[in-house]
Amino acid sequence: MNLKRPAPNVSAILHRAIALAKAGVSCGEIPIAAVLVDADGNVLAEAHNQVETAQNPIAHAEMQVLQQALQYRRYFEDCTLAVTLEPCAMCMAALCHARVGTVIFGAYDPKSGGTVNGARVPQHMHFKPDILGGIEEDSCRTLLQDFFKTLR
Amino acid sequence: MNLKRPAPNVSAILHRAIALAKAGVSCGEIPIAAVLVDADGNVLAEAHNQVETAQNPIAHAEMQVLQQALQYRRYFEDCTLAVTLEPCAMCMAALCHARVGTVIFGAYDPKSGGTVNGARVPQHMHFKPDILGGIEEDSCRTLLQDFFKTLR
């Protein structure tokens, strides 16, 4: 039985992630954030990247969101995770392990992505989420580009 | 500068992981465990798989070890992680993010491994640990085979 039920408004959820990513900059983080919603659009968990705050190289936004949500449930077939940047191999494999039904992301990441670029993790996993890339791509890419400009 | 310094006795460290994996069975876990040591062989962190105990599909042994060790340090170039089974894509990518210098594993995992099988994560990552597979392979494979026999 296919339990996947994509959330109703993927653009709105990604805009919520974009706002959260911007908030992360004031904590010294690269602006990347993720939001997990159920099939009715209720937010189950959300987080920005916390690599700098936590001095933890694996504290990516998606991992923080999963750790929060896993306190309540083990699997998320009926849920959608939205993230501003293509998940890396670690995050994508974690999302497969937790059976997140749909993963949508904004900007593609040819250098460090592991979803449709690099290791292309889903094609090797038992559970394969539905993947939608390039949603609100311009906003998500500009967010990162503007941040890195300020560092120069 | 190459900061990698493989631990002196990889077999002994893997035997420590095997003992810990066996202890995990009494908690209802599949027997998989990991040990992180520094270049002098001092144990920095160790854990068995905690997927069942924590009802958490991403609580693999390697992730538990990293979370413990990351409380004290951010990167582990001079350290060795030993694990009884080939790391999956999630764990292998996490070990790359945390720059673990050397990763040794016991049994190969053609079905769910992501290190030398499946997604072959290290070849896509910026930091690539030195990988040694098949150390104490028979003991590690038998450990899992015996466990699954008892479930039938």
Side-chain angles (χ1 to χ4, degrees):
Chain A
M1 189 174 65
N2 184 355
L3 297 173
K4 290 175 183 171
R5 294 174 60 201
N9 190 339
V10 294
S11 274
I13 301 160
L14 212 32
H15 274 288
R16 182 169 175 134
I18 290 169
L20 190 57
K22 286 178 182 168
V25 175
S26 61
C27 309
E29 299 291 351
I30 297 174
I32 304 166
V35 178
L36 180 70
V37 298
D38 67 17
D40 298 318
N42 300 310
V43 174
L44 301 184
E46 58 186 345
H48 59 64
N49 183 19
Q50 290 174 32
V51 169
E52 299 305 324
T53 323
Q55 288 284 300
N56 181 337
I58 64 172
H60 292 192
E62 302 93 315
M63 299 302 278
Q64 302 306 107
V65 164
L66 275 182
Q67 292 293 7
Q68 285 175 39
L70 284 163
Q71 292 174 40
Y72 309 106
R73 291 170 55 174
R74 186 161 173 172
Y75 298 119
F76 301 89
E77 284 99 335
D78 60 331
C79 295
T80 296
L81 182 124
V83 57
T84 54
L85 184 66
E86 178 187 343
C88 76
M90 171 184 72
C91 293
M92 194 60 237
L95 295 168
C96 293
H97 287 319
R99 299 184 196 162
V100 175
T102 305
V103 174
I104 65 175
F105 65 84
Y108 289 88
D109 188 356
K111 194 176 154 207
S112 304
T115 302
V116 299
N117 284 293
R120 300 182 187 196
V121 162
Q123 68 186 47
H124 300 285
M125 305 295 284
H126 175 66
F127 181 92
K128 299 173 205 303
D130 291 338
I131 310 282
L132 291 171
I135 310 293
E136 301 298 316
E137 185 179 2
D138 287 349
S139 306
C140 290
R141 197 179 49 233
T142 306
L143 180 69
L144 282 165
Q145 284 171 342
D146 289 351
F147 174 77
F148 285 113
K149 267 183 209 158
T150 65
L151 295 187
R152 279 180 212 135
Chain B
M1 189 174 66
N2 184 355
L3 297 172
K4 291 175 183 172
R5 294 174 60 202
N9 190 339
V10 293
S11 275
I13 301 161
L14 212 32
H15 274 288
R16 182 169 175 134
I18 290 169
L20 189 56
K22 286 178 182 167
V25 175
S26 61
C27 309
E29 298 292 350
I30 297 174
I32 305 167
V35 178
L36 181 70
V37 298
D38 67 17
D40 298 319
N42 300 311
V43 174
L44 301 185
E46 59 185 344
H48 58 64
N49 183 19
Q50 289 174 32
V51 169
E52 298 305 325
T53 322
Q55 287 286 299
N56 181 337
I58 65 171
H60 291 192
E62 302 94 317
M63 299 302 278
Q64 302 305 107
V65 163
L66 276 183
Q67 292 293 8
Q68 284 176 40
L70 284 163
Q71 293 174 40
Y72 310 106
R73 291 171 55 174
R74 186 160 173 172
Y75 297 120
F76 302 90
E77 283 99 335
D78 60 330
C79 296
T80 296
L81 182 124
V83 57
T84 54
L85 184 65
E86 178 187 343
C88 77
M90 171 184 72
C91 293
M92 194 60 237
L95 295 168
C96 293
H97 286 319
R99 299 184 196 162
V100 175
T102 305
V103 173
I104 65 175
F105 65 85
Y108 289 87
D109 187 355
K111 195 177 154 208
S112 304
T115 303
V116 298
N117 284 293
R120 300 182 187 198
V121 162
Q123 67 186 46
H124 300 285
M125 304 296 284
H126 175 67
F127 181 92
K128 301 174 204 301
D130 291 338
I131 309 282
L132 291 170
I135 310 293
E136 302 298 316
E137 185 178 2
D138 288 349
S139 305
C140 290
R141 197 179 48 234
T142 306
L143 180 67
L144 282 165
Q145 284 171 341
D146 289 352
F147 173 77
F148 284 113
K149 266 183 208 157
T150 65
L151 294 188
R152 281 182 208 133

